[in-house]
Amino acid sequence: MTPTGMRVAFFGSPEAALPAFRALLESRHQIVLVVTQPDKPAGRGRERAASPVKQAALDAQLPVLQPPKVREAAAIESIASCSPDVFVVVAFGQILPQALLDVPRKGAVNVHFSLLPKYRGAAPVQWAVLNGETETGVTVMRMDAGMDTGGILAQEAVRIEEAEDAVELETRLAGIGAALLLQTLERLESTTVVEIPQDHSAATLAPKLRKDDGRLDWNSPAAQIARRLRALGRWPGVFFLMGNLTVKLLDGHAAPVVPQTFTVPLPGEVLAVEKAGVVVACTPGEAFTLTRVQPAGRTPMDVRSFVNGYRLAAGQMLS
């Protein structure tokens, strides 16, 4: 190992990539280039905003490249011109082609927030929470041209806490991944790293989330609705319809007691409007309590304000 470490090209975009980026900045390795996604419209004004990784790179006075398509020849040439020893990829947002993976002499490593081969894809944390997993973890893998199919270099398992949402879990995993990355780079540089092939027959997928993934299904068990809120509540958001009005669910929980009615309630039927929240029927014999919502075009509000403003009453149907 050399005292100055390796020349690193860092690929990353969102907040979750920052712990690994900062760990590299403080290490003996040298970040020679930061590759991140192009600026995207954000906020009500839809003004173009830099990714968190780009902003951190600019603050550190590092060169930044933002190719719309990293597989284009011009992008590959620009990255290769920095003579990196290794690529480090954390939630970059594009698949690297083989021509680019061939550039660094030590190859490319990816910090992925699951226990591969489970949850390959863009949203491993959200799908793990949504599916009710009790354990996930971080994998550092050597990249190949497939989607999260490369050999495993390091792995650490993590328990998912009962009330933990996807953002909180991802924040924990990002910190663990940063430490695991530095350990892996030490072994990679000294050629003592062991690479374990993935069992492709055990692979599961965690595809990119769409806005419609947040649509509530009132036929679901209350625990599943709670998991959807924990998994997707911050992005892409969980919502239901009240007539033609789209309402975002911000907070709620399984109802400890299901109010009794003279008839068998339908999924989505409002069973009770209580001080603590609005109780809605879901799968037979279960209910879910809404405590904080945001109607389209309005600011977030507690359920009391929602009930008063929109005349919500028992017997109404939500969909």
Side-chain angles (χ1 to χ4, degrees):
M1 293 184 291
T2 61
T4 55
M6 293 185 288
R7 293 171 60 84
V8 178
F10 185 86
F11 294 70
S13 299
E15 197 83 25
L18 289 179
F21 174 78
R22 290 171 177 147
L24 281 171
L25 273 182
E26 296 171 3
S27 74
R28 61 188 184 81
H29 303 292
Q30 179 188 4
I31 299 177
V32 295
L33 178 67
V34 174
V35 187
T36 189
Q37 292 278 55
D39 296 357
K40 295 181 179 179
R44 289 194 173 184
R46 307 306 291 165
E47 295 183 5
R48 301 190 76 81
S51 72
V53 166
K54 177 185 177 180
Q55 191 56 60
L58 294 177
D59 291 344
Q61 298 183 321
L62 292 172
V64 175
L65 185 67
Q66 296 177 274
K69 294 182 179 179
V70 77
R71 62 177 57 252
E72 292 180 346
I76 295 173
E77 184 178 345
S78 294
I79 295 167
S81 69
C82 296
S83 302
D85 296 317
V86 66
F87 290 168
V88 170
V89 183
V90 188
F92 171 52
Q94 297 184 43
I95 294 177
L96 276 58
Q98 191 61 52
L100 186 55
L101 295 174
D102 290 339
V103 167
R105 65 183 183 87
K106 289 286 188 178
V109 299
N110 172 240
V111 179
H112 186 77
F113 301 136
S114 81
L115 295 176
L116 291 171
K118 293 189 72 173
Y119 295 111
R120 293 174 176 174
V125 178
Q126 290 86 350
W127 284 105
V129 174
L130 186 60
N131 290 340
E133 301 283 359
T134 58
E135 182 184 74
T136 186
V138 180
T139 301
V140 181
M141 69 169 187
R142 188 185 295 278
M143 296 183 70
D144 59 21
M147 185 179 68
D148 302 328
T149 54
I152 295 170
L153 305 177
Q155 233 174 22
E156 185 170 332
V158 172
R159 177 176 173 78
I160 301 176
E161 301 299 334
E162 188 174 343
E164 196 170 29
D165 72 22
V167 173
E168 293 165 340
L169 176 57
E170 189 172 73
T171 299
R172 273 208 301 141
L173 294 175
I176 293 166
L180 206 59
L181 169 67
L182 292 187
Q183 296 168 20
T184 305
L185 289 180
E186 294 300 306
R187 296 197 299 273
L188 185 68
E189 187 180 12
S190 65
T191 67
T192 60
V193 69
V194 176
E195 184 173 333
I196 302 171
Q198 291 189 42
D199 178 1
H200 301 302
S201 67
T204 60
L205 298 180
K208 184 177 180 179
L209 294 167
R210 302 165 301 154
K211 185 173 182 180
D212 204 50
D213 287 323
R215 175 77 179 265
L216 275 182
D217 179 3
W218 294 109
N219 289 284
S220 304
Q224 188 173 322
I225 293 174
R227 288 201 305 269
R228 186 168 297 274
L229 182 58
R230 287 168 49 217
L232 311 180
R234 302 207 210 185
W235 172 257
V238 172
F239 67 95
F240 59 88
L241 298 181
M242 189 176 76
N244 294 323
L245 178 68
T246 299
V247 182
K248 189 174 182 180
L249 175 60
L250 302 179
D251 203 2
H253 53 82
V257 178
V258 179
Q260 298 298 307
T261 62
F262 292 107
T263 59
V264 177
L266 296 172
E269 182 179 345
V270 176
L271 299 179
V273 175
E274 302 173 345
K275 186 175 181 180
V278 173
V279 185
V280 184
C282 47
T283 199
E286 297 186 21
F288 191 85
T289 301
L290 316 178
T291 58
R292 194 161 176 264
V293 298
Q294 183 177 5
R298 300 292 301 275
T299 57
M301 59 182 66
D302 59 33
V303 162
R304 179 184 291 273
S305 301
F306 180 57
V307 169
N308 291 340
Y310 292 87
R311 302 180 184 274
L312 192 64
Q316 285 186 245
M317 294 297 301
L318 308 178
S319 63

